[in-house]
Amino acid sequence: MTPDLIIFDCDGVLVDSEPVSNRLLVDNLARHGLSLTFDEAMGLFIGGTMAGVGEKARSLGADLPDDWVDEIYAETYAKLREGVDPIPGIPALLDQLDTVGLPYCVASNGSEEKMGITLGSTGLAPRFDGRRYSAHTLRVAKPDPGLFLHAAADLGVDPAKCLVVEDSPTGAEAARRAGMPCFGYAPEGDGARLAAKGAQIIRDMAEIPALIGIQAA
């Protein structure tokens, strides 16, 4: 089925920011008494809000200051401003969607500012003008389906005719609860955590056109 709208997550789906952000997070938490490997941090925190990351880190023994969320955002944004790359295949995929007139948007648990930084540094920002949805702004975060449902309603599309592209179990769960099919982007590993939430695993963004029945460029 060709969808009427594709809803992309941002970090790890449009922009390759997850490794940068999580390495910085590992270093930050180590300063606050919690030692984690990069893989452990990715498994624990990917797809969550920063407030949720802080709560989980405290439960694991981190001694975080009251203003930790502001601290980690400042460090993260400074690092991201040094530049990140688009996820391989994303520019070409968006070109194909534009060619066939298939609408798309981005819905992220990250802030508007963070999306502006990462989409801006990759040159993708103009493609999502007026079609960015942030959990910070709307005050509803994945796995709650409200972020995706708001995006669909704002763009006048039936949720059942939307397709979500996600890289985290949190996002896949939000898609499932919204009644939207989901492609789980898993370029490495088996994608089992995404599949457990009902996502159809893809390894490469170049798979998407054939899967949704549009012509390759």
Side-chain angles (χ1 to χ4, degrees), residues 38-76:
F38 174 78
D39 288 342
E40 286 171 338
M42 290 286 283
L44 285 167
F45 303 129
I46 190 170
T49 64
M50 202 57 75
V53 169
E55 290 176 9
K56 186 172 289 187
R58 286 187 178 98
S59 75
L60 294 171
D63 182 16
L64 304 183
D66 291 341
D67 65 349
W68 179 79
V69 170
D70 293 335
E71 172 188 301
I72 192 65
Y73 272 136
E75 293 180 11
T76 301

Side-chain angles (χ1 to χ4, degrees), residues 7 144-155 157 159-160 174 177-180:
I7 304 176
D144 190 297
L147 187 62
F148 291 153
L149 292 173
H150 176 91
D154 190 55
L155 296 172
V157 179
R177 292 171 62 185
M180 300 177 179

Side-chain angles (χ1 to χ4, degrees), residues 10-186:
C10 190
D11 299 298
V13 171
L14 294 175
V15 296
D16 194 17
S17 52
E18 293 285 14
V20 173
S21 298
N22 278 277
R23 287 190 184 96
L24 188 146
L25 180 62
V26 167
D27 291 343
N28 177 282
L29 292 177
R31 297 200 308 269
H32 293 296
L34 178 61
S35 179
L36 296 171
T37 67
F38 174 78
D39 288 342
E40 286 171 338
M42 290 286 283
L44 285 167
F45 303 129
I46 190 170
T49 64
M50 202 57 75
V53 169
E55 290 176 9
K56 186 172 289 187
R58 286 187 178 98
S59 75
L60 294 171
D63 182 16
L64 304 183
D66 291 341
D67 65 349
W68 179 79
V69 170
D70 293 335
E71 172 188 301
I72 192 65
Y73 272 136
E75 293 180 11
T76 301
Y77 293 171
K79 189 66 176 177
L80 291 174
R81 284 190 178 96
E82 296 176 9
V84 294
D85 295 321
I87 290 293
I90 278 293
L93 173 61
L94 298 182
D95 284 344
Q96 290 177 256
L97 299 180
D98 287 338
T99 296
V100 299
L102 201 165
Y104 52 86
C105 66
V106 56
S108 173
N109 272 356
S111 67
E112 294 274 5
E113 183 178 2
K114 185 180 182 185
M115 283 193 281
I117 293 167
T118 57
L119 293 174
S121 70
T122 56
L124 299 177
R127 295 180 182 264
F128 294 92
D129 283 346
R131 292 174 292 156
R132 300 181 200 174
Y133 302 94
S134 165
H136 287 224
T137 303
L138 297 172
R139 300 191 180 281
V140 60
K142 310 167 198 176
D144 190 297
L147 187 62
F148 291 153
L149 292 173
H150 176 91
D154 190 55
L155 296 172
V157 179
D158 181 344
K161 296 182 179 179
C162 296
L163 169 69
V164 172
V165 184
E166 271 285 352
D167 70 325
S168 74
T170 301
E173 172 68 9
R176 186 189 66 78
R177 292 171 62 185
M180 300 177 179
C182 179
F183 288 161
Y185 178 60

